[in-house]
Amino acid sequence: MYRQVIALCTMLWCIGASAHEMTPTYPKWVPSHMDGVWKTTMEMFNKRKDVEWYEIGVFDEKWNPVNFVTSYRLFNMPYLSHVKFDVYIATPDVAVATYICSKSKLREIREQKTMVATRICSRFK
């Protein structure tokens, strides 16, 4: 049993997993140029060859969606490219918003089926 556990751990350690990245890890809301609206700037980097579409979402501490505005909620990001975007939110929702997440959107391709969707989240300070 001990050898099986060691073999499994070694195998999992050697298998590299790739996902997309989103920074900053702990974003902050700052006042925007409009009264009653706050913004944060995020940046994403795509390290997955098999995924080109990503969706943005803002959530409260119980993972309920929070209303927000950005240029595109769903956007195309080719392999090894990065995107910088602003997210806007109303003043009453600033205290409620806890997480901002990006989720890979999978699509079926006949030659290859991607089985793993990734979600990367940052927590507001």
Side-chain angles (χ1 to χ4, degrees), residues 53-89:
W53 291 93
Y54 292 88
E55 181 179 24
I56 302 299
V58 177
F59 303 93
D60 66 10
E61 64 182 17
K62 295 181 181 178
W63 293 101
N64 297 314
V66 175
N67 292 327
F68 71 98
V69 175
T70 188
S71 298
Y72 300 99
R73 286 184 188 228
L74 183 67
F75 57 91
N76 182 276
M77 189 170 53
Y79 175 60
L80 296 180
S81 66
H82 63 69
V83 171
K84 193 172 191 176
F85 58 95
D86 293 326
V87 176
Y88 298 90
I89 195 168

PDB file of all heavy atoms in Angstrom, residues 53-89:
ATOM      1  N   TRP A  53     -11.456  30.766 -25.402  1.00  0.00           N
ATOM      2  CA  TRP A  53     -12.551  31.618 -24.946  1.00  0.00           C
ATOM      3  C   TRP A  53     -12.634  31.586 -23.426  1.00  0.00           C
ATOM      4  O   TRP A  53     -12.556  30.523 -22.815  1.00  0.00           O
ATOM      5  CB  TRP A  53     -13.872  31.171 -25.561  1.00  0.00           C
ATOM      6  CG  TRP A  53     -13.921  31.436 -27.022  1.00  0.00           C
ATOM      7  CD1 TRP A  53     -13.576  30.580 -28.025  1.00  0.00           C
ATOM      8  CD2 TRP A  53     -14.298  32.650 -27.656  1.00  0.00           C
ATOM      9  NE1 TRP A  53     -13.715  31.189 -29.244  1.00  0.00           N
ATOM     10  CE2 TRP A  53     -14.160  32.467 -29.042  1.00  0.00           C
ATOM     11  CE3 TRP A  53     -14.731  33.889 -27.187  1.00  0.00           C
ATOM     12  CZ2 TRP A  53     -14.456  33.474 -29.956  1.00  0.00           C
ATOM     13  CZ3 TRP A  53     -15.016  34.877 -28.106  1.00  0.00           C
ATOM     14  CH2 TRP A  53     -14.890  34.660 -29.469  1.00  0.00           C
ATOM     15  N   TYR A  54     -12.839  32.773 -22.830  1.00  0.00           N
ATOM     16  CA  TYR A  54     -12.914  32.908 -21.381  1.00  0.00           C
ATOM     17  C   TYR A  54     -14.067  33.826 -21.006  1.00  0.00           C
ATOM     18  O   TYR A  54     -14.392  34.753 -21.733  1.00  0.00           O
ATOM     19  CB  TYR A  54     -11.599  33.466 -20.827  1.00  0.00           C
ATOM     20  CG  TYR A  54     -10.465  32.481 -20.980  1.00  0.00           C
ATOM     21  CD1 TYR A  54      -9.700  32.456 -22.130  1.00  0.00           C
ATOM     22  CD2 TYR A  54     -10.211  31.551 -19.995  1.00  0.00           C
ATOM     23  CE1 TYR A  54      -8.686  31.537 -22.291  1.00  0.00           C
ATOM     24  CE2 TYR A  54      -9.191  30.624 -20.138  1.00  0.00           C
ATOM     25  CZ  TYR A  54      -8.436  30.627 -21.291  1.00  0.00           C
ATOM     26  OH  TYR A  54      -7.440  29.696 -21.449  1.00  0.00           O
ATOM     27  N   GLU A  55     -14.674  33.548 -19.847  1.00  0.00           N
ATOM     28  CA  GLU A  55     -15.799  34.332 -19.350  1.00  0.00           C
ATOM     29  C   GLU A  55     -15.431  34.941 -18.002  1.00  0.00           C
ATOM     30  O   GLU A  55     -14.810  34.289 -17.173  1.00  0.00           O
ATOM     31  CB  GLU A  55     -17.023  33.427 -19.187  1.00  0.00           C
ATOM     32  CG  GLU A  55     -18.248  34.132 -18.698  1.00  0.00           C
ATOM     33  CD  GLU A  55     -19.440  33.190 -18.587  1.00  0.00           C
ATOM     34  OE1 GLU A  55     -19.240  31.976 -18.447  1.00  0.00           O
ATOM     35  OE2 GLU A  55     -20.566  33.697 -18.621  1.00  0.00           O
ATOM     36  N   ILE A  56     -15.834  36.192 -17.782  1.00  0.00           N
ATOM     37  CA  ILE A  56     -15.564  36.910 -16.544  1.00  0.00           C
ATOM     38  C   ILE A  56     -16.827  36.941 -15.696  1.00  0.00           C
ATOM     39  O   ILE A  56     -17.936  37.086 -16.217  1.00  0.00           O
ATOM     40  CB  ILE A  56     -15.126  38.369 -16.839  1.00  0.00           C
ATOM     41  CG1 ILE A  56     -13.895  38.375 -17.733  1.00  0.00           C
ATOM     42  CG2 ILE A  56     -14.862  39.142 -15.556  1.00  0.00           C
ATOM     43  CD1 ILE A  56     -12.698  37.695 -17.142  1.00  0.00           C
ATOM     44  N   GLY A  57     -16.668  36.817 -14.368  1.00  0.00           N
ATOM     45  CA  GLY A  57     -17.791  36.901 -13.442  1.00  0.00           C
ATOM     46  C   GLY A  57     -17.358  37.525 -12.127  1.00  0.00           C
ATOM     47  O   GLY A  57     -16.208  37.389 -11.715  1.00  0.00           O
ATOM     48  N   VAL A  58     -18.293  38.218 -11.466  1.00  0.00           N
ATOM     49  CA  VAL A  58     -18.050  38.793 -10.139  1.00  0.00           C
ATOM     50  C   VAL A  58     -19.071  38.150  -9.199  1.00  0.00           C
ATOM     51  O   VAL A  58     -20.249  38.040  -9.536  1.00  0.00           O
ATOM     52  CB  VAL A  58     -18.198  40.332 -10.154  1.00  0.00           C
ATOM     53  CG1 VAL A  58     -18.021  40.904  -8.757  1.00  0.00           C
ATOM     54  CG2 VAL A  58     -17.196  40.950 -11.116  1.00  0.00           C
ATOM     55  N   PHE A  59     -18.612  37.739  -7.998  1.00  0.00           N
ATOM     56  CA  PHE A  59     -19.450  36.984  -7.071  1.00  0.00           C
ATOM     57  C   PHE A  59     -19.319  37.515  -5.647  1.00  0.00           C
ATOM     58  O   PHE A  59     -18.287  38.088  -5.280  1.00  0.00           O
ATOM     59  CB  PHE A  59     -19.051  35.507  -7.091  1.00  0.00           C
ATOM     60  CG  PHE A  59     -19.128  34.896  -8.457  1.00  0.00           C
ATOM     61  CD1 PHE A  59     -18.013  34.854  -9.282  1.00  0.00           C
ATOM     62  CD2 PHE A  59     -20.317  34.386  -8.938  1.00  0.00           C
ATOM     63  CE1 PHE A  59     -18.072  34.307 -10.547  1.00  0.00           C
ATOM     64  CE2 PHE A  59     -20.397  33.840 -10.211  1.00  0.00           C
ATOM     65  CZ  PHE A  59     -19.272  33.798 -11.017  1.00  0.00           C
ATOM     66  N   ASP A  60     -20.366  37.264  -4.841  1.00  0.00           N
ATOM     67  CA  ASP A  60     -20.304  37.616  -3.424  1.00  0.00           C
ATOM     68  C   ASP A  60     -19.697  36.454  -2.642  1.00  0.00           C
ATOM     69  O   ASP A  60     -19.260  35.463  -3.235  1.00  0.00           O
ATOM     70  CB  ASP A  60     -21.685  38.015  -2.894  1.00  0.00           C
ATOM     71  CG  ASP A  60     -22.701  36.881  -2.874  1.00  0.00           C
ATOM     72  OD1 ASP A  60     -22.325  35.714  -3.093  1.00  0.00           O
ATOM     73  OD2 ASP A  60     -23.886  37.175  -2.633  1.00  0.00           O
ATOM     74  N   GLU A  61     -19.683  36.549  -1.318  1.00  0.00           N
ATOM     75  CA  GLU A  61     -19.033  35.515  -0.505  1.00  0.00           C
ATOM     76  C   GLU A  61     -19.740  34.163  -0.560  1.00  0.00           C
ATOM     77  O   GLU A  61     -19.133  33.138  -0.259  1.00  0.00           O
ATOM     78  CB  GLU A  61     -18.887  35.973   0.945  1.00  0.00           C
ATOM     79  CG  GLU A  61     -20.196  36.197   1.652  1.00  0.00           C
ATOM     80  CD  GLU A  61     -20.012  36.706   3.067  1.00  0.00           C
ATOM     81  OE1 GLU A  61     -18.916  37.185   3.393  1.00  0.00           O
ATOM     82  OE2 GLU A  61     -20.988  36.612   3.836  1.00  0.00           O
ATOM     83  N   LYS A  62     -21.009  34.141  -0.961  1.00  0.00           N
ATOM     84  CA  LYS A  62     -21.751  32.881  -1.104  1.00  0.00           C
ATOM     85  C   LYS A  62     -21.810  32.422  -2.561  1.00  0.00           C
ATOM     86  O   LYS A  62     -22.612  31.580  -2.924  1.00  0.00           O
ATOM     87  CB  LYS A  62     -23.160  33.030  -0.542  1.00  0.00           C
ATOM     88  CG  LYS A  62     -23.164  33.275   0.951  1.00  0.00           C
ATOM     89  CD  LYS A  62     -24.566  33.386   1.481  1.00  0.00           C
ATOM     90  CE  LYS A  62     -24.527  33.662   2.973  1.00  0.00           C
ATOM     91  NZ  LYS A  62     -25.872  33.814   3.523  1.00  0.00           N
ATOM     92  N   TRP A  63     -21.000  33.008  -3.411  1.00  0.00           N
ATOM     93  CA  TRP A  63     -20.879  32.688  -4.833  1.00  0.00           C
ATOM     94  C   TRP A  63     -22.124  33.023  -5.637  1.00  0.00           C
ATOM     95  O   TRP A  63     -22.387  32.428  -6.674  1.00  0.00           O
ATOM     96  CB  TRP A  63     -20.467  31.227  -5.039  1.00  0.00           C
ATOM     97  CG  TRP A  63     -19.085  31.003  -4.541  1.00  0.00           C
ATOM     98  CD1 TRP A  63     -18.736  30.436  -3.345  1.00  0.00           C
ATOM     99  CD2 TRP A  63     -17.865  31.366  -5.179  1.00  0.00           C
ATOM    100  NE1 TRP A  63     -17.368  30.434  -3.211  1.00  0.00           N
ATOM    101  CE2 TRP A  63     -16.811  30.999  -4.319  1.00  0.00           C
ATOM    102  CE3 TRP A  63     -17.561  31.984  -6.385  1.00  0.00           C
ATOM    103  CZ2 TRP A  63     -15.476  31.213  -4.642  1.00  0.00           C
ATOM    104  CZ3 TRP A  63     -16.237  32.198  -6.701  1.00  0.00           C
ATOM    105  CH2 TRP A  63     -15.201  31.812  -5.833  1.00  0.00           C
ATOM    106  N   ASN A  64     -22.896  34.008  -5.172  1.00  0.00           N
ATOM    107  CA  ASN A  64     -24.009  34.536  -5.955  1.00  0.00           C
ATOM    108  C   ASN A  64     -23.458  35.600  -6.901  1.00  0.00           C
ATOM    109  O   ASN A  64     -22.587  36.387  -6.511  1.00  0.00           O
ATOM    110  CB  ASN A  64     -25.074  35.153  -5.044  1.00  0.00           C
ATOM    111  CG  ASN A  64     -25.689  34.132  -4.132  1.00  0.00           C
ATOM    112  OD1 ASN A  64     -26.042  33.046  -4.560  1.00  0.00           O
ATOM    113  ND2 ASN A  64     -25.793  34.467  -2.854  1.00  0.00           N
ATOM    114  N   PRO A  65     -23.955  35.671  -8.141  1.00  0.00           N
ATOM    115  CA  PRO A  65     -23.451  36.676  -9.089  1.00  0.00           C
ATOM    116  C   PRO A  65     -23.746  38.106  -8.627  1.00  0.00           C
ATOM    117  O   PRO A  65     -24.795  38.362  -8.030  1.00  0.00           O
ATOM    118  CB  PRO A  65     -24.196  36.374 -10.382  1.00  0.00           C
ATOM    119  CG  PRO A  65     -24.893  35.089 -10.189  1.00  0.00           C
ATOM    120  CD  PRO A  65     -24.958  34.796  -8.734  1.00  0.00           C
ATOM    121  N   VAL A  66     -22.834  39.000  -8.890  1.00  0.00           N
ATOM    122  CA  VAL A  66     -22.979  40.424  -8.594  1.00  0.00           C
ATOM    123  C   VAL A  66     -22.945  41.156  -9.940  1.00  0.00           C
ATOM    124  O   VAL A  66     -22.152  40.818 -10.815  1.00  0.00           O
ATOM    125  CB  VAL A  66     -21.819  40.910  -7.685  1.00  0.00           C
ATOM    126  CG1 VAL A  66     -21.889  42.412  -7.467  1.00  0.00           C
ATOM    127  CG2 VAL A  66     -21.834  40.173  -6.355  1.00  0.00           C
ATOM    128  N   ASN A  67     -23.812  42.153 -10.083  1.00  0.00           N
ATOM    129  CA  ASN A  67     -23.861  42.918 -11.332  1.00  0.00           C
ATOM    130  C   ASN A  67     -22.575  43.703 -11.543  1.00  0.00           C
ATOM    131  O   ASN A  67     -22.070  44.336 -10.606  1.00  0.00           O
ATOM    132  CB  ASN A  67     -25.050  43.879 -11.333  1.00  0.00           C
ATOM    133  CG  ASN A  67     -26.370  43.146 -11.396  1.00  0.00           C
ATOM    134  OD1 ASN A  67     -26.463  42.095 -12.007  1.00  0.00           O
ATOM    135  ND2 ASN A  67     -27.378  43.699 -10.763  1.00  0.00           N
ATOM    136  N   PHE A  68     -22.075  43.666 -12.767  1.00  0.00           N
ATOM    137  CA  PHE A  68     -20.866  44.399 -13.130  1.00  0.00           C
ATOM    138  C   PHE A  68     -20.892  44.683 -14.620  1.00  0.00           C
ATOM    139  O   PHE A  68     -21.702  44.134 -15.356  1.00  0.00           O
ATOM    140  CB  PHE A  68     -19.603  43.597 -12.763  1.00  0.00           C
ATOM    141  CG  PHE A  68     -19.371  42.398 -13.636  1.00  0.00           C
ATOM    142  CD1 PHE A  68     -18.495  42.462 -14.708  1.00  0.00           C
ATOM    143  CD2 PHE A  68     -20.037  41.207 -13.404  1.00  0.00           C
ATOM    144  CE1 PHE A  68     -18.280  41.364 -15.520  1.00  0.00           C
ATOM    145  CE2 PHE A  68     -19.832  40.103 -14.211  1.00  0.00           C
ATOM    146  CZ  PHE A  68     -18.955  40.181 -15.271  1.00  0.00           C
ATOM    147  N   VAL A  69     -19.977  45.532 -15.061  1.00  0.00           N
ATOM    148  CA  VAL A  69     -19.866  45.863 -16.473  1.00  0.00           C
ATOM    149  C   VAL A  69     -18.398  45.767 -16.861  1.00  0.00           C
ATOM    150  O   VAL A  69     -17.515  46.194 -16.113  1.00  0.00           O
ATOM    151  CB  VAL A  69     -20.385  47.292 -16.760  1.00  0.00           C
ATOM    152  CG1 VAL A  69     -20.150  47.677 -18.198  1.00  0.00           C
ATOM    153  CG2 VAL A  69     -21.849  47.407 -16.403  1.00  0.00           C
ATOM    154  N   THR A  70     -18.134  45.204 -18.026  1.00  0.00           N
ATOM    155  CA  THR A  70     -16.802  45.172 -18.609  1.00  0.00           C
ATOM    156  C   THR A  70     -16.964  45.229 -20.123  1.00  0.00           C
ATOM    157  O   THR A  70     -18.083  45.091 -20.630  1.00  0.00           O
ATOM    158  CB  THR A  70     -16.014  43.917 -18.159  1.00  0.00           C
ATOM    159  OG1 THR A  70     -14.671  44.029 -18.596  1.00  0.00           O
ATOM    160  CG2 THR A  70     -16.642  42.644 -18.673  1.00  0.00           C
ATOM    161  N   SER A  71     -15.895  45.442 -20.825  1.00  0.00           N
ATOM    162  CA  SER A  71     -15.982  45.530 -22.288  1.00  0.00           C
ATOM    163  C   SER A  71     -16.606  44.269 -22.876  1.00  0.00           C
ATOM    164  O   SER A  71     -17.467  44.331 -23.737  1.00  0.00           O
ATOM    165  CB  SER A  71     -14.600  45.740 -22.898  1.00  0.00           C
ATOM    166  OG  SER A  71     -14.054  46.933 -22.454  1.00  0.00           O
ATOM    167  N   TYR A  72     -16.129  43.118 -22.435  1.00  0.00           N
ATOM    168  CA  TYR A  72     -16.656  41.838 -22.898  1.00  0.00           C
ATOM    169  C   TYR A  72     -16.693  40.877 -21.725  1.00  0.00           C
ATOM    170  O   TYR A  72     -15.690  40.707 -21.049  1.00  0.00           O
ATOM    171  CB  TYR A  72     -15.762  41.234 -23.986  1.00  0.00           C
ATOM    172  CG  TYR A  72     -15.607  42.094 -25.202  1.00  0.00           C
ATOM    173  CD1 TYR A  72     -14.478  42.890 -25.381  1.00  0.00           C
ATOM    174  CD2 TYR A  72     -16.592  42.122 -26.180  1.00  0.00           C
ATOM    175  CE1 TYR A  72     -14.332  43.686 -26.496  1.00  0.00           C
ATOM    176  CE2 TYR A  72     -16.459  42.920 -27.288  1.00  0.00           C
ATOM    177  CZ  TYR A  72     -15.329  43.698 -27.450  1.00  0.00           C
ATOM    178  OH  TYR A  72     -15.200  44.487 -28.556  1.00  0.00           O
ATOM    179  N   ARG A  73     -17.828  40.242 -21.502  1.00  0.00           N
ATOM    180  CA  ARG A  73     -17.894  39.204 -20.466  1.00  0.00           C
ATOM    181  C   ARG A  73     -17.315  37.893 -20.995  1.00  0.00           C
ATOM    182  O   ARG A  73     -16.809  37.083 -20.243  1.00  0.00           O
ATOM    183  CB  ARG A  73     -19.340  38.967 -20.018  1.00  0.00           C
ATOM    184  CG  ARG A  73     -19.855  40.072 -19.161  1.00  0.00           C
ATOM    185  CD  ARG A  73     -21.240  39.771 -18.642  1.00  0.00           C
ATOM    186  NE  ARG A  73     -21.757  40.940 -17.973  1.00  0.00           N
ATOM    187  CZ  ARG A  73     -22.308  40.917 -16.795  1.00  0.00           C
ATOM    188  NH1 ARG A  73     -22.451  39.783 -16.168  1.00  0.00           N
ATOM    189  NH2 ARG A  73     -22.744  42.022 -16.249  1.00  0.00           N
ATOM    190  N   LEU A  74     -17.415  37.696 -22.268  1.00  0.00           N
ATOM    191  CA  LEU A  74     -16.875  36.514 -22.934  1.00  0.00           C
ATOM    192  C   LEU A  74     -15.926  37.022 -24.011  1.00  0.00           C
ATOM    193  O   LEU A  74     -16.318  37.810 -24.862  1.00  0.00           O
ATOM    194  CB  LEU A  74     -18.015  35.695 -23.562  1.00  0.00           C
ATOM    195  CG  LEU A  74     -17.646  34.398 -24.234  1.00  0.00           C
ATOM    196  CD1 LEU A  74     -17.137  33.387 -23.215  1.00  0.00           C
ATOM    197  CD2 LEU A  74     -18.844  33.827 -24.966  1.00  0.00           C
ATOM    198  N   PHE A  75     -14.665  36.609 -23.953  1.00  0.00           N
ATOM    199  CA  PHE A  75     -13.720  37.121 -24.933  1.00  0.00           C
ATOM    200  C   PHE A  75     -12.753  36.051 -25.408  1.00  0.00           C
ATOM    201  O   PHE A  75     -12.511  35.058 -24.735  1.00  0.00           O
ATOM    202  CB  PHE A  75     -12.967  38.352 -24.410  1.00  0.00           C
ATOM    203  CG  PHE A  75     -12.229  38.128 -23.137  1.00  0.00           C
ATOM    204  CD1 PHE A  75     -10.917  37.723 -23.137  1.00  0.00           C
ATOM    205  CD2 PHE A  75     -12.855  38.343 -21.927  1.00  0.00           C
ATOM    206  CE1 PHE A  75     -10.232  37.522 -21.961  1.00  0.00           C
ATOM    207  CE2 PHE A  75     -12.177  38.142 -20.745  1.00  0.00           C
ATOM    208  CZ  PHE A  75     -10.861  37.734 -20.760  1.00  0.00           C
ATOM    209  N   ASN A  76     -12.236  36.307 -26.600  1.00  0.00           N
ATOM    210  CA  ASN A  76     -11.297  35.398 -27.241  1.00  0.00           C
ATOM    211  C   ASN A  76      -9.879  35.776 -26.840  1.00  0.00           C
ATOM    212  O   ASN A  76      -9.506  36.947 -26.911  1.00  0.00           O
ATOM    213  CB  ASN A  76     -11.461  35.480 -28.760  1.00  0.00           C
ATOM    214  CG  ASN A  76     -10.543  34.527 -29.472  1.00  0.00           C
ATOM    215  OD1 ASN A  76      -9.394  34.833 -29.714  1.00  0.00           O
ATOM    216  ND2 ASN A  76     -11.063  33.364 -29.802  1.00  0.00           N
ATOM    217  N   MET A  77      -9.111  34.765 -26.425  1.00  0.00           N
ATOM    218  CA  MET A  77      -7.724  34.996 -26.043  1.00  0.00           C
ATOM    219  C   MET A  77      -6.901  33.812 -26.543  1.00  0.00           C
ATOM    220  O   MET A  77      -6.889  32.753 -25.933  1.00  0.00           O
ATOM    221  CB  MET A  77      -7.610  35.130 -24.515  1.00  0.00           C
ATOM    222  CG  MET A  77      -6.256  35.571 -24.064  1.00  0.00           C
ATOM    223  SD  MET A  77      -6.160  36.005 -22.315  1.00  0.00           S
ATOM    224  CE  MET A  77      -6.830  34.596 -21.506  1.00  0.00           C
ATOM    225  N   PRO A  78      -6.213  33.964 -27.682  1.00  0.00           N
ATOM    226  CA  PRO A  78      -5.424  32.864 -28.238  1.00  0.00           C
ATOM    227  C   PRO A  78      -4.302  32.419 -27.289  1.00  0.00           C
ATOM    228  O   PRO A  78      -3.914  33.140 -26.370  1.00  0.00           O
ATOM    229  CB  PRO A  78      -4.839  33.446 -29.528  1.00  0.00           C
ATOM    230  CG  PRO A  78      -5.729  34.587 -29.865  1.00  0.00           C
ATOM    231  CD  PRO A  78      -6.220  35.119 -28.556  1.00  0.00           C
ATOM    232  N   TYR A  79      -3.766  31.268 -27.561  1.00  0.00           N
ATOM    233  CA  TYR A  79      -2.678  30.668 -26.775  1.00  0.00           C
ATOM    234  C   TYR A  79      -1.494  31.627 -26.665  1.00  0.00           C
ATOM    235  O   TYR A  79      -1.082  32.244 -27.645  1.00  0.00           O
ATOM    236  CB  TYR A  79      -2.264  29.351 -27.436  1.00  0.00           C
ATOM    237  CG  TYR A  79      -1.083  28.661 -26.811  1.00  0.00           C
ATOM    238  CD1 TYR A  79      -1.117  28.249 -25.486  1.00  0.00           C
ATOM    239  CD2 TYR A  79       0.057  28.410 -27.545  1.00  0.00           C
ATOM    240  CE1 TYR A  79      -0.039  27.594 -24.915  1.00  0.00           C
ATOM    241  CE2 TYR A  79       1.144  27.755 -26.985  1.00  0.00           C
ATOM    242  CZ  TYR A  79       1.094  27.360 -25.662  1.00  0.00           C
ATOM    243  OH  TYR A  79       2.158  26.719 -25.099  1.00  0.00           O
ATOM    244  N   LEU A  80      -0.978  31.774 -25.460  1.00  0.00           N
ATOM    245  CA  LEU A  80       0.169  32.619 -25.107  1.00  0.00           C
ATOM    246  C   LEU A  80      -0.065  34.114 -25.337  1.00  0.00           C
ATOM    247  O   LEU A  80       0.869  34.883 -25.492  1.00  0.00           O
ATOM    248  CB  LEU A  80       1.448  32.178 -25.828  1.00  0.00           C
ATOM    249  CG  LEU A  80       1.964  30.795 -25.460  1.00  0.00           C
ATOM    250  CD1 LEU A  80       3.236  30.486 -26.236  1.00  0.00           C
ATOM    251  CD2 LEU A  80       2.203  30.660 -23.972  1.00  0.00           C
ATOM    252  N   SER A  81      -1.313  34.526 -25.331  1.00  0.00           N
ATOM    253  CA  SER A  81      -1.608  35.956 -25.430  1.00  0.00           C
ATOM    254  C   SER A  81      -2.127  36.444 -24.076  1.00  0.00           C
ATOM    255  O   SER A  81      -2.479  35.656 -23.205  1.00  0.00           O
ATOM    256  CB  SER A  81      -2.634  36.232 -26.523  1.00  0.00           C
ATOM    257  OG  SER A  81      -3.868  35.667 -26.188  1.00  0.00           O
ATOM    258  N   HIS A  82      -2.160  37.753 -23.915  1.00  0.00           N
ATOM    259  CA  HIS A  82      -2.701  38.310 -22.679  1.00  0.00           C
ATOM    260  C   HIS A  82      -3.677  39.425 -22.996  1.00  0.00           C
ATOM    261  O   HIS A  82      -3.629  40.032 -24.072  1.00  0.00           O
ATOM    262  CB  HIS A  82      -1.602  38.784 -21.724  1.00  0.00           C
ATOM    263  CG  HIS A  82      -0.769  39.905 -22.266  1.00  0.00           C
ATOM    264  ND1 HIS A  82      -1.250  41.176 -22.454  1.00  0.00           N
ATOM    265  CD2 HIS A  82       0.515  39.952 -22.646  1.00  0.00           C
ATOM    266  CE1 HIS A  82      -0.300  41.946 -22.923  1.00  0.00           C
ATOM    267  NE2 HIS A  82       0.794  41.224 -23.063  1.00  0.00           N
ATOM    268  N   VAL A  83      -4.571  39.657 -22.050  1.00  0.00           N
ATOM    269  CA  VAL A  83      -5.605  40.669 -22.193  1.00  0.00           C
ATOM    270  C   VAL A  83      -5.655  41.470 -20.898  1.00  0.00           C
ATOM    271  O   VAL A  83      -5.600  40.905 -19.807  1.00  0.00           O
ATOM    272  CB  VAL A  83      -6.980  40.014 -22.451  1.00  0.00           C
ATOM    273  CG1 VAL A  83      -8.092  41.031 -22.392  1.00  0.00           C
ATOM    274  CG2 VAL A  83      -6.996  39.283 -23.769  1.00  0.00           C
ATOM    275  N   LYS A  84      -5.759  42.771 -21.024  1.00  0.00           N
ATOM    276  CA  LYS A  84      -5.927  43.658 -19.877  1.00  0.00           C
ATOM    277  C   LYS A  84      -7.315  44.274 -20.001  1.00  0.00           C
ATOM    278  O   LYS A  84      -7.678  44.749 -21.079  1.00  0.00           O
ATOM    279  CB  LYS A  84      -4.851  44.735 -19.894  1.00  0.00           C
ATOM    280  CG  LYS A  84      -4.721  45.508 -18.625  1.00  0.00           C
ATOM    281  CD  LYS A  84      -3.489  46.404 -18.706  1.00  0.00           C
ATOM    282  CE  LYS A  84      -3.180  46.979 -17.352  1.00  0.00           C
ATOM    283  NZ  LYS A  84      -1.952  47.767 -17.366  1.00  0.00           N
ATOM    284  N   PHE A  85      -8.095  44.251 -18.913  1.00  0.00           N
ATOM    285  CA  PHE A  85      -9.469  44.750 -18.990  1.00  0.00           C
ATOM    286  C   PHE A  85      -9.874  45.403 -17.673  1.00  0.00           C
ATOM    287  O   PHE A  85      -9.339  45.093 -16.609  1.00  0.00           O
ATOM    288  CB  PHE A  85     -10.442  43.619 -19.357  1.00  0.00           C
ATOM    289  CG  PHE A  85     -10.426  42.459 -18.401  1.00  0.00           C
ATOM    290  CD1 PHE A  85     -11.337  42.377 -17.359  1.00  0.00           C
ATOM    291  CD2 PHE A  85      -9.492  41.437 -18.549  1.00  0.00           C
ATOM    292  CE1 PHE A  85     -11.317  41.315 -16.490  1.00  0.00           C
ATOM    293  CE2 PHE A  85      -9.479  40.363 -17.679  1.00  0.00           C
ATOM    294  CZ  PHE A  85     -10.390  40.297 -16.641  1.00  0.00           C
ATOM    295  N   ASP A  86     -10.832  46.325 -17.767  1.00  0.00           N
ATOM    296  CA  ASP A  86     -11.395  47.009 -16.603  1.00  0.00           C
ATOM    297  C   ASP A  86     -12.753  46.411 -16.285  1.00  0.00           C
ATOM    298  O   ASP A  86     -13.522  46.069 -17.190  1.00  0.00           O
ATOM    299  CB  ASP A  86     -11.554  48.506 -16.863  1.00  0.00           C
ATOM    300  CG  ASP A  86     -10.217  49.219 -17.012  1.00  0.00           C
ATOM    301  OD1 ASP A  86      -9.254  48.799 -16.330  1.00  0.00           O
ATOM    302  OD2 ASP A  86     -10.144  50.180 -17.791  1.00  0.00           O
ATOM    303  N   VAL A  87     -13.049  46.321 -14.986  1.00  0.00           N
ATOM    304  CA  VAL A  87     -14.346  45.856 -14.508  1.00  0.00           C
ATOM    305  C   VAL A  87     -14.952  46.992 -13.687  1.00  0.00           C
ATOM    306  O   VAL A  87     -14.281  47.542 -12.804  1.00  0.00           O
ATOM    307  CB  VAL A  87     -14.203  44.579 -13.647  1.00  0.00           C
ATOM    308  CG1 VAL A  87     -15.542  44.154 -13.080  1.00  0.00           C
ATOM    309  CG2 VAL A  87     -13.590  43.456 -14.469  1.00  0.00           C
ATOM    310  N   TYR A  88     -16.201  47.339 -13.980  1.00  0.00           N
ATOM    311  CA  TYR A  88     -16.892  48.433 -13.305  1.00  0.00           C
ATOM    312  C   TYR A  88     -18.039  47.885 -12.480  1.00  0.00           C
ATOM    313  O   TYR A  88     -18.710  46.931 -12.894  1.00  0.00           O
ATOM    314  CB  TYR A  88     -17.432  49.437 -14.332  1.00  0.00           C
ATOM    315  CG  TYR A  88     -16.353  50.091 -15.145  1.00  0.00           C
ATOM    316  CD1 TYR A  88     -15.920  49.525 -16.343  1.00  0.00           C
ATOM    317  CD2 TYR A  88     -15.753  51.267 -14.712  1.00  0.00           C
ATOM    318  CE1 TYR A  88     -14.915  50.128 -17.090  1.00  0.00           C
ATOM    319  CE2 TYR A  88     -14.748  51.874 -15.454  1.00  0.00           C
ATOM    320  CZ  TYR A  88     -14.339  51.295 -16.638  1.00  0.00           C
ATOM    321  OH  TYR A  88     -13.348  51.884 -17.370  1.00  0.00           O
ATOM    322  N   ILE A  89     -18.268  48.531 -11.323  1.00  0.00           N
ATOM    323  CA  ILE A  89     -19.315  48.077 -10.411  1.00  0.00           C
ATOM    324  C   ILE A  89     -19.926  49.296  -9.718  1.00  0.00           C
ATOM    325  O   ILE A  89     -19.236  50.295  -9.498  1.00  0.00           O
ATOM    326  CB  ILE A  89     -18.733  47.056  -9.403  1.00  0.00           C
ATOM    327  CG1 ILE A  89     -19.813  46.293  -8.673  1.00  0.00           C
ATOM    328  CG2 ILE A  89     -17.789  47.718  -8.434  1.00  0.00           C
ATOM    329  CD1 ILE A  89     -19.296  45.107  -7.903  1.00  0.00           C
TER     330      ILE A  89
END
